[in-house]
Structures are given as structure tokens and as C-alpha cells.
Amino acid sequence: MKKIILYEVAFTLVLAGILVLFLSKKPLNNVMSETFRQSFLEEESAEGMEAWDGLRLRRDFALEEADYEGFVLYGEPDTMSVRIFLVLKCRNEEQTKPAVQAFERYLDRQKEAFEGYGASQMKLLEKAQIYEKGVYAALVIADDPEEWIRLITELTEG
């Protein structure tokens, strides 16, 4: 009889722990592309970067602009520069995984292209960071990617 009570208490504690985890999950902010764009442009490290359109999103990442609720894509005009700031707002959470996979493929292609002769580019590519949370996916290739990831995190998570 004592074993049954012990099991019931343990089960209740586990169930309560699971409920606390699910209920404590903080919802993400609903951030529009224009908010990301304005915040990015206010950063000093954004200097020298230009806005890229859906054509570039398709060419470099094989992602279609119409499939997403919104995106912000900035890069450098020089083909020998690899700095990128890309934030996608997906229509649902299932879209983030394929977007992250597209980011990883892009990074692999860039590393292959610059391997052996682009030491400064390779350094940036090795430090690149991918952000994935809820309906947001982002790729940052920069001297200090943590700065831009912090900006994205502040906007989406508060």
C-alpha cells in the first residue's frame, strides 16, 4: 500500500513539473520586419551593408520570399565580403527548421568557396551564428555576431 502512495506522489510531482515547464514558456514578441530593419540600421556595425531583396534570398539561400511572413536581408556589395544579416519571420514554427538548414548549406558553400585563400572571410564564416526560436530564424555573419544575435533576441524575446 505504501508503494502505491509513493508512486502516486512521484507521478504527481513529475506531472506538476511538466505543467510548470509548459506554462512558464514565455511567448515571443510579434516583431515586424521593419522593426528588425530599423534596429539593425541603428547599429554602428551595419555600416557599409546594403539591403538585399527576395531575388538574393532565392539565389543565395534557395528560399522564396512569398513563403515567409517577412524577412530582412543585408549584405555587403563586394563579392569578397561575407558579412550577412538575415532574419526570417516564418508563417509557422515548422518553417524554421528548413530555413536553418538553408543557412547551414549557405555557410558550407561559402566556406568551400573561400577555403585556402580567404583567411579573413573564413574567420567570419567560422564565427557565424544561427538563431532559431519559434517563428524566427536568423543568420549572422559578422565580426561580432553576438552583438546582432543579442539585438534579435531582445526584439523577439523581450
Side-chain angles (χ1 to χ4, degrees):
M1 193 64 154
K2 280 188 174 183
K3 270 189 173 180
I4 292 173
I5 293 173
L6 188 61
Y7 285 128
E8 286 177 356
V9 169
F11 178 73
T12 304
L13 289 174
V14 168
L15 187 59
I18 291 171
L19 284 173
V20 166
L21 274 175
F22 281 115
L23 295 177
S24 67
K25 185 178 178 184
K26 184 179 172 187
L28 293 176
N29 297 330
N30 184 17
V31 184
M32 296 298 157
S33 297
E34 191 56 35
T35 305
F36 283 116
R37 185 180 327 282
Q38 289 301 321
S39 296
F40 172 72
L41 291 174
E42 290 172 7
E43 296 291 319
E44 258 183 59
S45 53
E47 190 175 318
M49 297 184 74
E50 63 184 21
W52 288 345
D53 60 10
L55 215 53
R56 192 68 181 251
L57 184 68
R58 180 186 311 152
R59 188 186 86 191
D60 288 353
F61 300 95
L63 298 172
E64 293 294 329
E65 175 181 3
D67 293 343
Y68 298 92
E69 199 169 307
F71 78 98
V72 175
L73 176 57
Y74 278 84
E76 292 184 299
D78 182 8
T79 57
M80 289 301 292
S81 297
V82 295
R83 288 192 321 153
I84 294 270
F85 178 81
L86 170 58
V87 179
L88 285 175
K89 183 175 184 185
C90 302
R91 296 193 188 283
N92 55 55
E93 289 186 27
E94 289 77 36
Q95 281 186 305
T96 57
K97 192 63 78 184
V100 167
Q101 290 170 344
F103 299 165
E104 290 168 348
R105 285 191 301 272
Y106 175 81
L107 282 171
D108 290 342
R109 284 192 313 272
Q110 290 294 89
K111 287 176 184 176
E112 190 176 299
F114 287 104
E115 188 175 6
Y117 74 92
S120 62
Q121 291 87 350
M122 283 299 289
K123 182 178 174 188
L124 294 179
L125 290 167
E126 292 297 332
K127 291 189 325 185
Q129 289 195 11
I130 294 174
Y131 173 89
E132 177 184 5
K133 187 84 166 191
V135 295
Y136 299 99
L139 170 65
V140 175
I141 305 171
D143 295 318
D144 186 11
E146 294 84 12
E147 175 186 342
W148 291 352
I149 293 293
R150 179 192 46 76
L151 172 83
I152 295 166
T153 303
E154 284 177 3
L155 290 172
T156 59
E157 298 176 36

